[in-house]
Amino acid sequence: MLGRELAEFIESPVMILFATRDEAGRPMIGRGSGVRFDRQSGRLRFLASRCQWPRAVGEALAGRPIATTYVRAADYKACQIKGRILEAGPADAACRALGQAYVAEQLARMLALGVTRMQLSSTLSDRELVCLTIEPQEIFEQTPGPGAGRRLTPEAVA
Amino acid sequence: MIPLESLRDSFEGVIPSVIATTDADGIPNISYLSHVHYVDGTHVALSNQFFSKTAANVARNGFATVMVVDGYSGQQHVLDLVFARSETEGEIFERVAIHLAILEARMSGIMKLRAVDIYRVDDCRAVPAANPLVEPEPLVLPDLMGKVARLTARMSDCGDPETLLDATLEGLGELFGYRHSMVLVPDGERGGLTTIASRGYDQFGFGAEVPLGRGIIGVAAERRRNVRITDLSRGQRYIQAVRAMAGVEDATPIPLPALDKPLSQIALPLASRGRLVGVLFSESTERFTFRHRDEEALTVITAHLATALSFLSEERERAETDRREKTEASTDKAGSVSEGRRIAVRFYPRDGSLFVDDDYLIRGVPGRLLLHFLEDYVRTGKQDFLNREIRRDRRLQLPDFKDNLETRLILLRRRLEEKAGPIMLERADRGRLRLTLAGYPEIEVMED
């Protein structure tokens, strides 16, 4: 479903947000700690810190919907991928390494943009990483502006 | 629930907030939004021009969850919100609209605020700092009341508008560390503002103009509201994204008054008896120079400045009116006009712009005033002018004239001083100006 360009974009050092929801429909917010697109299965392997986002990760259950947003901090170019959680469990060694590398690179990028180490202290975590396997279902333009929210077809993002 | 009052720095719009909602099928939606505004201890306001999905979701179940980030410490908080009402006018709407109006310049209306949504805050939780690279430094915010008292006392000692303006800007730098400041006054004709006093810039910029409604100064004047920006760079990145997305081709950055790369700015309208008499503007190359308490301190100072400026201008007028006729300015003989080089003066009646030796000097009322002085000089050799005479002179036919004469004379005099050219206007004594020339003016009026 994801074209090459979009897959490369979400795997680049972009800021990642996600939202789950509880039984009552109340949304939960969290930040992602890295993502990989499996070209073979078409699924996302999405990482988030359970200790930092206990509520959002706590509602990331198999079968539940999830929204993930990817934003390049330098210019706010952004997209949103919505889908269904297929599996949720502790990150394995490979995923932990991916999450640690993502956090390290993201911190470096944000520092380069003038964000201080103190300001970044609360933002990103590579601890207690959970890996969510997500089946993408819908993709949307999310760059701020009048086009935000526009659905991107698979052809458009290929 | 963490009190919202303790999170005031998270409502600055410095770091974009995040909003999540859910649709009828229970599918979440998450996006950035530019501002979350503090309303009171249990309510916030959201300005959300683009997020139609968010609006539709909220309309369905009333739920929204927002994450705000403290622009100084980076501390994050998650707020559980329940929609309360939508407003299209009033105090909160105006407060939100003014922030967008700054960004909206040159955006063809695409960021114009249509409504502001008010939400009740059911819970506010801190997000744990799971990767503490640096412990947040304790933020020391000194009480500014003593400094306000000292500065306003100095201002009260000033006996004329010009000294008052200088003392105020000097004091802001010395006492508060606001080292780049200016005062602008309405130009009366074009509806814009003109710089009359400044501190901390390489060039004084007297006579520099700001259109009403444009940029932080123009918006503060037009809306009669304080405008405070704590980190300009983030707002500019955001606006560039919107501009690119919207296909707006005019890529000229938002015009900035003076510093090349300001990160903090504040503009406060000066109002006296409901009338706008000017704008106080200050800026800094540092982030977070102007916090809430700085704005509060400056609000007191601007109130004092507006009242004192208005009072001193009126007092001067009364003093001059009380004078006896014998103080009428002297008129030299026509034959005594100075010899020497030719001073080419070109004047355009349409906008009152005046050029000296092909260099632009000033326009509007100050331009017309100088033409008036120069014509009298050429005709009669007159060099001394009383404010009272100028006010009475029907030839000038200047709009809204009496109210702003004092500030316009200050502006004209300073502009001439800044140019250090062949024409100078000196304050001879109270209410009297003296024209001095290093040559003979040849006036050319350029009719349309």
Side-chain angles (χ1 to χ4, degrees), chain B residues 186 220-225 269-278 302-303 306-308 310-311 314 400 403-404:
Chain B
E222 185 181 61
R223 311 267 181 134
R224 304 276 185 95
R225 283 173 184 277
L270 305 172
S272 176
R273 286 169 295 189
R275 192 168 60 89
L276 183 77
V277 297
T302 49
T307 306
S310 193
F311 173 78
E314 286 178 12
D400 191 23
D403 287 345
N404 297 305

Side-chain angles (χ1 to χ4, degrees), chain B residues 13-179:
Chain B
V14 174
I15 296 179
S17 306
V18 177
I19 185 167
T21 54
T22 49
D23 70 12
D25 298 323
I27 298 172
N29 187 77
I30 187 162
S31 60
Y32 280 102
L33 72 166
S34 59
H35 289 78
V36 178
H37 291 260
Y38 174 90
V39 175
D40 58 35
T42 52
H43 292 86
V44 295
L46 306 186
S47 59
N48 203 327
Q49 309 93 298
F50 309 127
F51 305 101
S52 54
K53 183 69 178 174
T54 295
N57 289 354
V58 168
R60 193 189 66 81
N61 65 9
F63 286 152
T65 301
V66 157
M67 182 168 70
V68 295
V69 185
D70 182 307
Y72 173 73
S73 69
Q75 173 69 59
Q76 302 172 117
H77 287 86
V78 174
L79 282 60
D80 290 343
L81 308 183
V82 177
F83 178 78
R85 62 188 184 278
S86 196
E87 295 183 358
T88 54
E89 59 182 13
E91 168 68 23
I92 301 166
F93 179 86
E94 279 296 312
R95 195 146 49 86
V96 176
I98 200 165
H99 277 273
L100 289 167
I102 302 295
L103 298 174
E104 221 282 325
R106 298 167 189 266
M107 292 293 289
S108 312
I110 61 173
M111 287 188 70
K112 188 175 172 62
L113 185 66
R114 290 166 183 85
V116 64
D117 294 337
I118 313 298
Y119 289 79
R120 188 183 75 234
V121 181
D122 277 359
D123 194 15
C124 174
R125 305 177 294 278
V127 176
N131 193 12
L133 305 170
V134 179
E135 289 295 327
E137 297 163 14
L139 187 60
V140 180
L141 295 174
D143 183 8
L144 299 176
M145 210 55 206
K147 294 177 179 180
V148 169
R150 284 164 66 190
L151 180 53
T152 49
R154 281 188 204 178
M155 293 163 72
S156 295
D157 284 341
C158 297
D160 65 85
E162 197 163 0
T163 312
L164 172 69
L165 289 166
D166 289 341
T168 305
L169 297 186
E170 198 69 45
L172 289 177
E174 183 191 325
L175 297 171
F176 294 84
Y178 310 149
R179 306 211 176 277

Side-chain angles (χ1 to χ4, degrees), chain B residues 60 171 191 201 239 272 304 382 440:
Chain B
R60 193 189 66 81
Y201 298 108
I239 205 69
S272 176
H304 194 76
K382 181 181 168 107
Y440 186 78

Side-chain angles (χ1 to χ4, degrees), chain B residues 227-249:
Chain B
V227 186
R228 185 166 57 90
I229 298 175
T230 50
D231 188 347
L232 207 55
S233 64
R234 288 177 184 266
Q236 285 177 327
R237 280 211 302 277
Y238 183 85
I239 205 69
Q240 289 293 349
V242 175
R243 182 177 282 141
M245 181 75 180
V248 176
E249 295 201 349

Side-chain angles (χ1 to χ4, degrees), chain B residues 311-327:
Chain B
F311 173 78
L312 288 174
S313 298
E314 286 178 12
E315 189 187 46
R316 165 155 288 169
E317 186 188 334
R318 275 198 301 277
E320 289 156 12
T321 307
D322 291 344
R323 286 182 179 198
R324 296 168 57 181
E325 284 299 318
K326 69 178 182 184
T327 59

